[in-house]
Amino acid sequence: MTQSMSRAGNPYDNAPMERFYNTMKTEFIYHYTFETDEDLNQGVYEYVFDWYNHRRPHTFNGGRTPFEARHSN
C-alpha cells in the first residue's frame, strides 16, 4: 500500500476535491435552504450526479461535461 498524501504542509493531493467542494457550495449549497437531512442528501445527489457530471460544461474539459469527456475516446 502506498500513501497518496504529500508531506505534511503540502496538501497538493487535496486540491481537486477542495476545488469541487468550493464549486458545489458556491453554485448549490448557498442558494437553498434544506428542511431535513434527507432533503440535503437528495439535493447533493442530484447536483453531483445530474447537474455537475452530465449537464454542467467544464472549461478544463474543453467545454464538455465530465461524462462527455470520459466517454469521448
Side-chain angles (χ1 to χ4, degrees), residues 11-45:
Y12 299 115
D13 290 343
N14 290 333
M17 287 310 300
E18 293 291 336
R19 178 67 186 134
F20 169 75
Y21 289 135
N22 179 54
T23 300
M24 183 173 72
K25 289 189 289 186
T26 302
E27 292 183 350
F28 175 66
I29 298 294
Y30 296 148
H31 294 277
Y32 299 97
T33 303
F34 303 97
E35 298 293 324
T36 65
D37 288 346
E38 183 60 34
D39 292 342
L40 174 62
N41 289 338
Q42 183 65 32
V44 169
Y45 180 86

Side-chain angles (χ1 to χ4, degrees), residues 3-4 6 10 19-20 29-30 35 44 46 59 64 69:
Q3 182 178 359
S4 67
S6 57
N10 297 317
R19 178 67 186 134
F20 169 75
I29 298 294
Y30 296 148
E35 298 293 324
V44 169
E46 289 173 4
T59 55
R64 297 176 298 171

